[in-house]
Amino acid sequence: MTAVTPAPPSTADPSAPAGTAPGSRPGGRSRLRAAAGFAFGAALLFAVAPLALSDFRLALLAKYLCVAMVAVGIGIAWGRGGMLTLGQGVFFGLGGYAMAMHLKLADAGPGGMPDFMQLYGQLDELPVWWRPFASPWFALPATVLLPMAVALGLGSLVFRRRVRGAYFAILSQALAAAMVILLIGQQGTTGGTNGLTDIQGFFGYDLDDPVNQRMVYFIIAGVLLALLALARQIVHSRYGELLVAVRDSEERVRFLGYDPASVKLVAYVVAAGMAGLAGALFVPAVGIISPALIGIVPSIEFVIGVAVGGRATLLGPVLGAVAVAWARTALSERFPGTWTYLQGLLFVVVVAFLPGGLASLWALTRRRAERAEAHR
């Protein structure tokens, strides 16, 4: 029987040695390069950015890094597993609302009700399903485990029935729309269209204090690096090879005795957990979570960032997510009336001329240099 040979993605992982297929287990040189890359990223995030950016711009960067966490998960599910997830806003929102509920209850004090519940006057006491979130021992795990549980339930139903491709993308997008409708309809308990706003504290620290805001930024930066390390471990493991094989030839993998549904389910659940964690950290960084931040449009923007950066690489999704978020802010400041068209043009140009995303620039530059050297 012929062994499965996963076809390499369109672009190589920058952390892998030349000639190494993505998904293969790295050697010593690759580990050194990866360690150097993480050290460079840590220096950039923990030393250069805090010194070079103002408090306002650093807070914006913290927001962008939260988006990058979602992109890391999409890179695993879509880039390696071929699952176009257009509903990551659901898991981002579940994590964000779980964290926001705990922080609102902490701001209200023992036995208190969040301010928006008192304002709307629809409730006389705290809803039963809100009460467990008063405990950080429940709320913190829930920011990750709740999105993963929802993804596990949905993925088990979808992948067992071999739903994939455009049908899976549409289904995940419909889930995001349903989530938004549900949140808006429960104004008395979720804040409705406004969401959960005016979050003032973060486990006893005042979020209006610039020093505490920097602390939140450092936490976000550290978590992002940890997620990148986890993603690299997954990509270069045997499971990562199997995930690529399922993406390229699902039927062939099934004939060899593996269950493609289980392989894809793991990637989908991991991506959901990363999105939930990103949403939880987004709340103290921005101070709000609302349906407008988790619906169809934000879910598509997550995927656009991954496509711009390069979904087949490890760093591509992070670079693309940060670049798209930064471009959105910069263009909206300079061109308030036309920035959406310019953002769309940026996406079209990158996809048309850099199919491998921004992460493929280094490989393309190196190839052109080698060709120029060969012609001499």
Side-chain angles (χ1 to χ4, degrees):
M1 185 177 292
T2 305
V4 176
T5 305
S10 57
T11 56
D13 190 332
S15 65
T20 301
S24 355
R25 290 180 290 280
R29 181 182 298 180
S30 177
R31 292 191 183 96
L32 290 176
R33 293 176 61 183
F38 276 101
F40 176 77
L44 195 63
L45 291 174
F46 289 102
V48 177
L51 293 175
L53 300 178
S54 64
D55 290 338
F56 173 73
R57 296 296 174 183
L58 194 66
L60 284 179
L61 180 58
K63 175 182 174 181
Y64 302 159
L65 296 184
C66 291
V67 177
M69 293 181 200
V70 184
V72 173
I74 296 177
I76 295 175
W78 183 32
R80 300 287 168 168
M83 296 170 283
L84 181 55
T85 55
L86 294 179
Q88 291 303 98
V90 173
F91 310 121
F92 181 83
L94 288 172
Y97 269 89
M99 175 63 80
M101 289 165 66
H102 171 71
L103 297 181
K104 292 297 287 184
L105 291 174
D107 290 343
M113 293 178 61
D115 50 5
F116 74 92
M117 291 185 182
Q118 301 175 24
L119 176 64
Y120 296 144
Q122 297 181 7
L123 299 172
D124 296 328
E125 60 180 8
L126 191 68
V128 175
W129 57 276
W130 265 75
R131 295 174 186 174
F133 290 94
S135 170
W137 300 104
F138 178 88
L140 289 180
T143 61
V144 177
L145 296 180
L146 182 58
M148 294 179 74
V150 173
L152 179 63
L154 178 66
S156 298
L157 294 175
V158 171
F159 298 136
R160 299 296 177 189
R161 288 163 176 76
R162 303 185 184 181
V163 177
R164 53 187 175 181
Y167 300 102
F168 173 75
I170 294 173
L171 182 62
S172 63
Q173 194 174 58
L175 182 64
M179 178 77 169
V180 170
I181 294 173
L182 177 64
L183 291 173
I184 292 177
Q186 302 296 321
Q187 183 173 358
T189 56
T190 64
T193 305
N194 296 326
L196 303 182
T197 63
D198 193 27
I199 295 172
Q200 302 172 355
F202 182 64
F203 296 96
Y205 294 94
D206 184 7
L207 290 176
D208 290 332
D209 188 343
V211 175
N212 295 333
Q213 291 179 353
R214 283 182 171 249
M215 176 194 67
V216 172
Y217 164 78
F218 287 131
I219 292 174
I220 292 172
V223 171
L224 175 61
L225 290 177
L227 291 183
L228 277 173
L230 175 61
R232 185 178 185 276
Q233 187 65 29
I234 292 174
V235 164
H236 291 294
S237 66
R238 291 188 177 183
Y239 168 77
E241 296 177 356
L242 185 59
L243 183 61
V244 174
V246 170
R247 180 199 66 187
D248 293 338
S249 183
E250 183 172 331
E251 294 301 325
R252 190 177 183 186
V253 172
R254 180 178 288 108
F255 291 151
L256 289 174
Y258 294 99
D259 182 12
S262 299
V263 175
K264 294 195 292 185
L265 181 61
V266 171
Y268 187 56
V269 171
V270 168
M274 291 183 177
L277 182 57
L281 293 174
F282 181 88
V283 170
V286 181
I288 182 177
I289 188 72
S290 70
L293 298 171
I294 67 175
I296 293 178
V297 173
S299 297
I300 294 177
E301 289 178 348
F302 291 148
V303 174
I304 289 177
V306 175
V308 168
R311 65 186 179 97
T313 62
L314 182 62
L315 292 177
V318 173
L319 297 176
V322 173
V324 169
W326 172 83
R328 178 179 182 179
T329 300
L331 293 175
S332 62
E333 290 177 348
R334 296 187 179 184
F335 309 100
T338 59
W339 70 270
T340 52
Y341 301 102
L342 296 176
Q343 187 183 33
L345 179 62
L346 173 65
F347 174 66
V348 171
V349 168
V350 171
V351 171
F353 295 98
L354 285 173
L358 297 176
S360 65
L361 278 174
W362 170 252
L364 291 175
T365 303
R366 185 174 60 183
R367 289 174 191 171
R368 290 181 179 180
E370 291 175 352
R371 290 175 184 175
E373 187 68 23
H375 286 304
R376 289 182 182 177

